[in-house]
Amino acid sequence: MSGGLVIIGGGGAGISAATRARRVNPDIPITIYSQERRFSLSVPAQYDYTTDDRNSDGEMHLAREWRDLPDNIRVVSDSRVVRIMPEEKKLLVENRKRKAARSVRYDRLIICTGANPLRPLLPGAGLDGIFTMRSIRDSLAIKLYFDRYNPTQALIVGGSFVGLEMLENLREYPHVITLAERAPQLMGEALDADMAVLIEDYLRSRGINVITNCEAVGFQGEQRVSRMLGNSRDIDCDFVLMATGVYPNSQLAKDAGIELGCDNAIHINNRMETNIPNIFAAGDCVTTFHTVSGHHDYMPRPSTALKQGRVAGENAAGGDAAFKGAIGTAILEVFDLEISRTGLCEKECAALGIPCVTHKIKAPTRPTYFDTVGEINIKLIAEQNSLRLLGAQIVGNEGAGRRIDMLATAITLHATMDQLIDIDAAHAPAFSPVWDPLLEGMSRF
Amino acid sequence: MSGGLVIIGGGGAGISAATRARRVNPDIPITIYSQERRFSLSVPAQYDYTTDDRNSDGEMHLAREWRDLPDNIRVVSDSRVVRIMPEEKKLLVENRKRKAARSVRYDRLIICTGANPLRPLLPGAGLDGIFTMRSIRDSLAIKLYFDRYNPTQALIVGGSFVGLEMLENLREYPHVITLAERAPQLMGEALDADMAVLIEDYLRSRGINVITNCEAVGFQGEQRVSRMLGNSRDIDCDFVLMATGVYPNSQLAKDAGIELGCDNAIHINNRMETNIPNIFAAGDCVTTFHTVSGHHDYMPRPSTALKQGRVAGENAAGGDAAFKGAIGTAILEVFDLEISRTGLCEKECAALGIPCVTHKIKAPTRPTYFDTVGEINIKLIAEQNSLRLLGAQIVGNEGAGRRIDMLATAITLHATMDQLIDIDAAHAPAFSPVWDPLLEGMSRF
């Protein structure tokens, strides 16, 4: 009997792959092996659960995306794939309850094992009260801890996306919130320092204790954590969130002889094929082609995972699709500040040896006669000679962040910086000043 | 003595022209003749004044844009240009107080006379309580009328941008609000009927009495209006806003022998030159090149006026700039519904003989586990064979409207419909579902 299409992992990429494969081929058997008991939400969605009473409600765990799953996709939950045997086209699968592993066949395989949070092996890292944030389980554990101990000194280690997103969820609880970042700036992988400093200033104005140049080297406490030891200073804390990044879950693939790329993510081509025939991979465990830099990068993003899963599913089911790549577009909201970015930073261009020019724009978000007027700061990066747009960063209020999509569109379509002024953007007083901030800025370019 | 650069009109286009001219040429004398006592706000901004106590505050009338005006631009307010004499390069100018007209010289002239609201000459149209909405004066008059008579049956004649924008400003006052539109659909010049019906349904759900297929043919009342006579039915009302569109203020230009184009707007080339040497025009009084249809159209928009003014100012001051055109992008908010559009409608394509395909998307604005989830409806129009994107319409909640900028960017950069899925748009739960509505829709395309 044929094994059909087997997908390892029931996250965004896996579900997207299954759904697409079924659409392309109504007959192929499709099986998803998931370690979870139920499908997972996208990662950022889970932050909100930390402060949310709906955690106990199983129904809430099924985002709309997953409810649409066709019936004739078999989902084997609570099951862990422990080995891939490409020569025999077989997998070894362990069930959480029945421990004995059994072998299952596949014709085509898609690896969607996702990523895990980095948790540096520091002295004292096993103390109670030190968490990471990736799954619903993490959310629930944090919530339980807060309910039980009511911590008053929260520390977030790592000033990037997860760390900043979690700030907002914590603000109702502790008396003191500290954000410790080992680099000299926040969001070092996403923004240039001149934009990141705006975030730092803003967080301080909101009462967050921001400490840069401070790397955690250990923790102290009796049973529960009470202090972080840093390379530059120590910080008292009775709750710690380690938000120092994620790493791709690629060990299973590596053990099967699948080639890894940057950051040990699974290396794939634009059809989402690995180097081993009939094995595809997609989502937070794979590399992504960066269409601006022309390099493969590790850029785990929910929307990218879904697109990759879709392409892997189509191809594994006999279709012919290509994933063109991504440009690292991301957005996040912290209190009432919106932060977004796309393409390359100035410092990335420098590292890649791409000569570039930058243009910075600072404007109100709406006409200044409004009672509430926010600010928008935009940084544009373009190739020096051609002026081809390479990247953009935005820090601002009320709708500022969302403007990144216009710039991501322009970059994807190879626009030059001077073409931006030709774009007929929408104007209404509630949405923007007559001179759209972007256009106002460009008119001075 | 040289007359330098003279600009007729102190609105957005005029100010933009003056500012740019000064930047390009620091020495040229620049004079603006304005009928107003002070600079005007952009038109849509004035709606908000109807219900706003700040009307009496002169300071508020100066939007940020105008406060930036360089000092060495001479502004002659309260002055009306009554004749242009191109052969002599002279103008005849009347001052509101000193009635005698005087003649002034110009070397270069920019006509920025704007537009006026259409006010059909109907029986009874002179009754008290019938208003149009274009200037601060209109806002003040409406406010005065409301304070004095406290009308309880408001009628808006015309279901397009101005009419819909004003709905929101009226809602605090009258007991009954009726919107009468002569066409079978609302916003006929901006949207296809299948999208407009969403707005109609929404307005009804908000208690607005929407009546289509009803054209005003007259008004009744004693001193004050008490009833609108319609071609299909009559409507009781003690306040009427005529919002049936605007016409370009082009009579002055026409009398001087300047060629007019569609809708009697001043015809200009891409340098914003009229057919008469040394005379430029910009803003709501001119035609605009529609870059998708390839035709000149009458599309008065604040943002377009500013861009045109900028080009006219640069060229009149000796520079060399081109205005590439516009695609009719517009956005408006009514209660919590956002409406936006860009490019061509399906029916415009039909009228132009362009074979097209359409694709409609309906999606939640955020993941469905949020308490508040809005809806976004998108209609895309593409050329049949090439799939080149021609237009888009959006009706939805919470940030839906602003997505039009991404599509306007794609249209300006000649994207095809199937390229949209390659755009790496930003995702965060607060902003959109993982499958961005646009991408989700495209993945089913």
Side-chain angles (χ1 to χ4, degrees):
Chain A
M1 189 204 123
S2 150
L5 171 60
V6 172
I7 296 166
I8 308 176
I15 299 296
S16 180
T19 311
R20 186 67 185 175
R22 172 57 68 234
R23 195 184 154 104
V24 169
N25 186 332
D27 302 317
I28 187 176
I30 301 177
T31 310
I32 299 174
Y33 290 97
S34 169
Q35 286 190 267
E36 306 292 326
R37 214 154 295 180
R38 44 172 78 88
F39 298 126
S40 61
L41 288 176
S42 72
V43 173
Q46 297 173 0
Y47 310 149
D48 298 322
Y49 279 81
T50 314
T51 51
D52 192 322
D53 286 334
R54 291 172 302 183
N55 275 324
S56 54
D57 180 355
E59 172 60 25
M60 294 309 297
H61 294 192
L62 290 165
R64 173 177 173 275
E65 291 83 5
W66 311 157
R67 266 189 266 133
D68 294 342
L69 200 62
D71 284 336
N72 55 351
I73 291 173
R74 188 171 154 243
V75 180
V76 185
S77 58
D78 258 339
S79 293
R80 198 161 71 94
V81 175
V82 292
R83 206 161 133 207
I84 302 169
M85 294 165 285
E87 318 262 298
E88 305 156 61
K89 290 178 127 186
K90 278 187 179 169
L91 306 175
L92 220 52
V93 183
E94 262 183 22
N95 184 280
R96 203 184 295 269
K97 292 169 212 155
R98 292 170 277 111
K99 264 291 173 194
R102 65 198 171 95
S103 96
V104 300
R105 298 166 53 100
Y106 68 81
D107 293 321
R108 298 278 171 89
L109 179 67
I110 307 178
I111 302 173
C112 305
T113 43
N116 274 337
L118 283 167
R119 187 153 180 165
L121 285 171
L122 303 176
L127 286 166
D128 240 24
I130 304 179
F131 297 87
T132 53
M133 166 51 75
R134 181 84 185 168
S135 67
I136 290 279
R137 246 187 299 263
D138 294 328
S139 296
L140 292 173
I142 291 172
K143 194 169 151 56
L144 204 67
Y145 182 84
F146 269 84
D147 289 349
R148 193 154 168 184
Y149 296 112
N150 191 25
T152 57
Q153 295 178 301
L155 169 65
I156 295 177
V157 178
S160 198
F161 284 94
V162 174
L164 290 175
E165 290 267 16
M166 282 298 291
L167 273 183
E168 174 131 18
N169 294 97
L170 290 180
R171 68 171 162 176
E172 286 173 29
Y173 293 124
H175 300 308
V176 181
I177 304 180
T178 302
L179 181 69
E181 164 61 46
R182 68 176 175 179
Q185 70 160 92
L186 300 180
M187 299 196 70
E189 288 184 14
L191 302 179
D192 288 317
D194 53 347
M195 297 301 280
V197 76
L198 300 171
I199 304 167
E200 206 176 314
D201 291 346
Y202 172 80
L203 292 179
R204 292 219 171 89
S205 79
R206 293 297 301 245
I208 308 294
N209 185 21
V210 182
I211 303 174
T212 50
N213 293 304
C214 179
E215 180 170 5
V217 295
F219 295 95
Q220 287 181 334
E222 306 200 359
Q223 181 107 10
R224 280 175 60 210
V225 67
S226 63
R227 167 171 272 229
M228 182 202 91
L229 306 176
N231 63 345
S232 59
R233 54 173 287 187
D234 301 341
I235 300 167
D236 289 336
C237 53
D238 51 358
F239 166 83
V240 176
L241 180 79
M242 294 298 292
T244 51
V246 298
Y247 67 92
N249 246 331
S250 57
Q251 190 63 44
L252 182 69
K254 187 183 175 193
D255 291 345
I258 291 170
E259 186 193 337
L260 304 187
C262 69
D263 289 345
N264 288 319
I266 300 170
H267 186 79
I268 38 74
N269 63 18
N270 70 354
R271 286 176 44 88
M272 305 312 291
E273 294 165 327
T274 68
N275 61 314
I276 294 187
N278 300 309
I279 303 185
F280 302 75
D284 292 355
C285 59
V286 306
T287 61
T288 296
F289 183 71
H290 194 301
T291 57
V292 179
S293 74
H295 295 289
H296 277 264
D297 248 332
Y298 183 52
M299 300 188 280
R301 298 267 194 285
S303 51
T304 303
L306 262 64
K307 289 188 192 179
Q308 290 175 331
R310 181 174 178 267
V311 169
E314 174 148 357
N315 292 336
D320 184 22
F323 175 65
K324 301 251 175 84
I327 55 176
T329 310
I331 190 167
L332 94 97
E333 198 180 13
V334 47
F335 306 116
D336 54 3
L337 192 72
E338 299 177 13
I339 305 159
S340 58
R341 57 94 61 220
T342 187
L344 299 176
C345 293
E346 189 179 0
K347 63 184 168 193
E348 286 176 290
C349 291
L352 291 162
I354 304 171
C356 69
V357 292
T358 65
H359 181 58
K360 283 170 85 170
I361 298 163
K362 178 178 176 170
T365 51
R366 300 202 268 176
T368 45
Y369 54 81
F370 270 80
D371 285 335
T372 56
V373 179
E375 189 177 278
I376 177 167
N377 294 278
I378 305 176
K379 178 174 181 174
L380 301 174
I381 296 113
E383 202 172 33
Q384 191 163 50
N385 292 321
S386 67
L387 286 187
R388 189 190 149 189
L389 208 53
L390 300 175
Q393 299 161 49
I394 300 179
V395 176
N397 317 114
E398 34 178 37
R402 196 78 246 181
R403 282 163 191 273
I404 204 71
D405 284 345
M406 189 175 158
L407 292 162
T409 304
I411 292 171
T412 303
L413 298 170
H414 305 287
T416 55
M417 188 135 83
D418 49 332
Q419 274 185 301
L420 291 178
I421 203 168
D422 296 330
I423 294 166
D424 187 11
H427 163 70
F431 297 96
S432 67
V434 182
W435 264 131
D436 185 275
L438 206 52
L439 302 182
E440 165 153 329
M442 293 319 294
S443 76
R444 292 178 183 150
F445 167 63
Chain B
M1 188 202 123
S2 150
L5 170 60
V6 171
I7 296 166
I8 308 177
I15 299 295
S16 180
T19 310
R20 187 66 184 175
R22 172 57 68 234
R23 194 183 155 102
V24 170
N25 186 332
D27 302 317
I28 188 177
I30 302 177
T31 310
I32 300 174
Y33 289 96
S34 168
Q35 286 190 265
E36 306 292 325
R37 214 152 295 179
R38 45 171 75 89
F39 298 127
S40 60
L41 288 176
S42 71
V43 174
Q46 296 173 2
Y47 309 150
D48 297 321
Y49 279 80
T50 314
T51 52
D52 193 321
D53 285 334
R54 291 173 302 184
N55 274 324
S56 52
D57 181 356
E59 172 60 24
M60 295 307 298
H61 294 192
L62 289 165
R64 173 178 173 275
E65 291 83 5
W66 310 157
R67 265 189 267 132
D68 294 342
L69 199 62
D71 284 336
N72 55 351
I73 292 173
R74 187 171 155 243
V75 180
V76 184
S77 57
D78 258 340
S79 292
R80 197 161 71 93
V81 175
V82 293
R83 208 163 131 205
I84 302 169
M85 295 164 286
E87 319 262 299
E88 305 155 62
K89 292 179 125 183
K90 278 187 181 171
L91 306 175
L92 221 50
V93 183
E94 262 183 23
N95 182 280
R96 204 184 296 269
K97 292 169 212 153
R98 292 170 279 111
K99 263 292 172 194
R102 66 199 170 94
S103 96
V104 300
R105 298 165 53 101
Y106 69 82
D107 292 320
R108 297 278 171 88
L109 180 68
I110 307 179
I111 302 174
C112 305
T113 43
N116 274 336
L118 282 166
R119 185 150 183 169
L121 286 170
L122 304 175
L127 286 165
D128 241 22
I130 304 179
F131 296 87
T132 54
M133 166 50 76
R134 181 85 186 167
S135 67
I136 291 277
R137 245 187 301 261
D138 294 329
S139 295
L140 292 173
I142 292 173
K143 193 170 153 52
L144 203 69
Y145 182 84
F146 269 85
D147 289 347
R148 191 153 169 184
Y149 296 112
N150 190 25
T152 58
Q153 295 177 302
L155 169 66
I156 295 176
V157 177
S160 199
F161 283 93
V162 174
L164 290 175
E165 290 267 15
M166 282 298 291
L167 272 182
E168 174 131 16
N169 293 98
L170 290 180
R171 68 172 161 176
E172 286 174 29
Y173 293 124
H175 300 307
V176 181
I177 304 180
T178 303
L179 181 68
E181 165 60 47
R182 69 176 175 179
Q185 71 162 90
L186 300 180
M187 300 196 69
E189 288 185 14
L191 301 178
D192 288 318
D194 53 348
M195 297 299 282
V197 76
L198 300 171
I199 303 167
E200 206 175 316
D201 291 347
Y202 171 80
L203 292 179
R204 291 217 171 89
S205 80
R206 293 296 302 242
I208 308 293
N209 185 21
V210 182
I211 303 173
T212 50
N213 292 305
C214 179
E215 181 171 4
V217 296
F219 296 95
Q220 287 181 334
E222 305 200 358
Q223 181 106 12
R224 280 175 61 210
V225 68
S226 64
R227 167 170 272 229
M228 182 203 90
L229 307 175
N231 63 346
S232 58
R233 55 173 288 187
D234 300 342
I235 299 167
D236 289 337
C237 53
D238 52 358
F239 166 82
V240 176
L241 180 78
M242 295 298 292
T244 52
V246 297
Y247 67 91
N249 246 332
S250 57
Q251 191 63 44
L252 181 69
K254 187 183 175 193
D255 292 345
I258 291 170
E259 187 193 336
L260 304 187
C262 69
D263 290 343
N264 287 319
I266 299 170
H267 186 80
I268 39 73
N269 62 18
N270 70 355
R271 286 177 43 88
M272 306 310 293
E273 294 166 326
T274 68
N275 62 314
I276 294 187
N278 301 309
I279 302 186
F280 302 76
D284 292 355
C285 60
V286 307
T287 60
T288 297
F289 183 70
H290 193 300
T291 57
V292 178
S293 74
H295 294 290
H296 276 264
D297 249 334
Y298 183 53
M299 302 188 279
R301 299 265 195 288
S303 52
T304 303
L306 262 63
K307 289 189 194 178
Q308 291 175 330
R310 181 174 179 268
V311 169
E314 174 147 358
N315 292 336
D320 183 21
F323 175 64
K324 301 250 173 86
I327 56 176
T329 309
I331 190 167
L332 96 98
E333 197 181 14
V334 49
F335 306 118
D336 54 3
L337 192 72
E338 298 178 13
I339 304 159
S340 58
R341 57 93 62 220
T342 187
L344 299 176
C345 292
E346 189 178 359
K347 63 185 170 192
E348 286 176 289
C349 290
L352 290 162
I354 303 171
C356 69
V357 292
T358 66
H359 181 58
K360 281 169 87 169
I361 298 164
K362 178 178 175 170
T365 50
R366 299 204 268 178
T368 45
Y369 56 81
F370 269 80
D371 286 333
T372 54
V373 178
E375 191 177 277
I376 176 166
N377 294 277
I378 306 177
K379 178 174 182 174
L380 300 173
I381 296 113
E383 202 172 33
Q384 192 163 49
N385 293 322
S386 67
L387 287 188
R388 188 190 151 190
L389 207 54
L390 300 174
Q393 299 162 47
I394 299 179
V395 176
N397 317 112
E398 33 179 36
R402 196 78 245 183
R403 282 162 191 275
I404 204 70
D405 283 345
M406 189 175 157
L407 293 162
T409 304
I411 292 171
T412 303
L413 297 169
H414 305 286
T416 55
M417 189 135 84
D418 49 331
Q419 275 185 299
L420 290 179
I421 202 168
D422 296 331
I423 294 166
D424 187 10
H427 162 70
F431 297 96
S432 66
V434 184
W435 264 131
D436 186 274
L438 206 52
L439 301 182
E440 164 153 330
M442 293 318 294
S443 75
R444 292 179 183 149
F445 166 63

